[in-house]
Amino acid sequence: MIRKIFIGLLLTLVVIQFIRPAKNQSSTLSANDISHVYAVPPAINEIFKKSCNDCHSNNTVYPWYSNLQPVAWWLENHVNDGKRHFNFSEFASYTPKKQHHKLEEFIEMVKEEEMPLNSYTWIHKEAILTTEEKLAISSWADNLRKEIASKYNIIPEKK
């Protein structure tokens, strides 16, 4: 009986290897990429590449284990959730008010060390933000928020 269960589980594991989600990869920057509408300094862009873009852009760099099921499904869900909250590749498609708000959330998540997620940095140690990197991206995002607020006459909500 245990042998049949084991064989059934093994067959299931083999079969699910052929059910693969689409990869979140693009060969070019989206027309709505944040860098197409706002100045993103090279140093900030490098921080985004190492710590943010895998989950918050349309171009994920996949590790080898992303080819194994059910890991690939978990990664797909993780990336889709990240993009739903904040997507650098689609930032220009947001309304100015939403851009302003998303940057506020971004700053808060970085300052409270909620981003990048621990589940990501366990494996991607290089993605852990240094104090200087946190300050740099938070300052850049805050300046961009102010620019957007000024340009579109957005009055920040009082908390």
Side-chain angles (χ1 to χ4, degrees), residues 51-78:
S51 299
C52 307
N53 285 354
D54 278 350
C55 297
H56 296 284
S57 79
N58 292 342
N59 199 7
T60 302
V61 176
Y62 287 93
W64 66 269
Y65 52 84
S66 69
N67 293 310
L68 303 174
Q69 300 301 4
V71 175
W73 294 329
W74 179 78
L75 288 173
E76 177 190 33
N77 184 48
H78 190 80

Side-chain angles (χ1 to χ4, degrees), residues 4 12 27 46 50 61 76 86 109 119-120 122 126 135 158:
K4 287 182 181 180
T12 301
S27 58
E46 285 304 311
K50 82 174 185 83
V61 176
E76 177 190 33
F86 192 109
M109 297 296 274
S119 60
Y120 184 75
W122 289 336
E126 74 285 355
L135 288 171
K158 304 259 182 191

Side-chain angles (χ1 to χ4, degrees), residues 90-145:
E90 301 302 326
F91 192 80
S93 69
Y94 301 162
T95 65
K97 188 173 182 176
K98 184 175 181 179
Q99 290 176 0
H100 187 267
H101 180 70
K102 289 294 179 183
L103 288 168
E104 179 181 29
E105 289 177 341
F106 172 80
I107 294 165
E108 184 179 320
M109 297 296 274
V110 169
K111 285 185 177 178
E112 293 179 3
E113 299 184 355
E114 293 182 31
M115 284 290 146
L117 293 175
N118 288 333
S119 60
Y120 184 75
T121 58
W122 289 336
I123 296 172
H124 302 90
K125 298 292 185 197
E126 74 285 355
I128 297 171
L129 295 169
T130 66
T131 302
E132 294 79 21
E133 289 170 332
K134 289 177 203 169
L135 288 171
I137 60 175
S138 295
S139 176
W140 172 82
D142 192 44
N143 288 335
L144 182 53
R145 274 185 77 233

Side-chain angles (χ1 to χ4, degrees), residues 32-50:
N32 290 320
D33 192 85
I34 193 170
S35 64
H36 285 266
V37 289
Y38 299 111
V40 181
I44 299 300
N45 198 37
E46 285 304 311
I47 297 169
F48 290 162
K49 281 182 186 177
K50 82 174 185 83

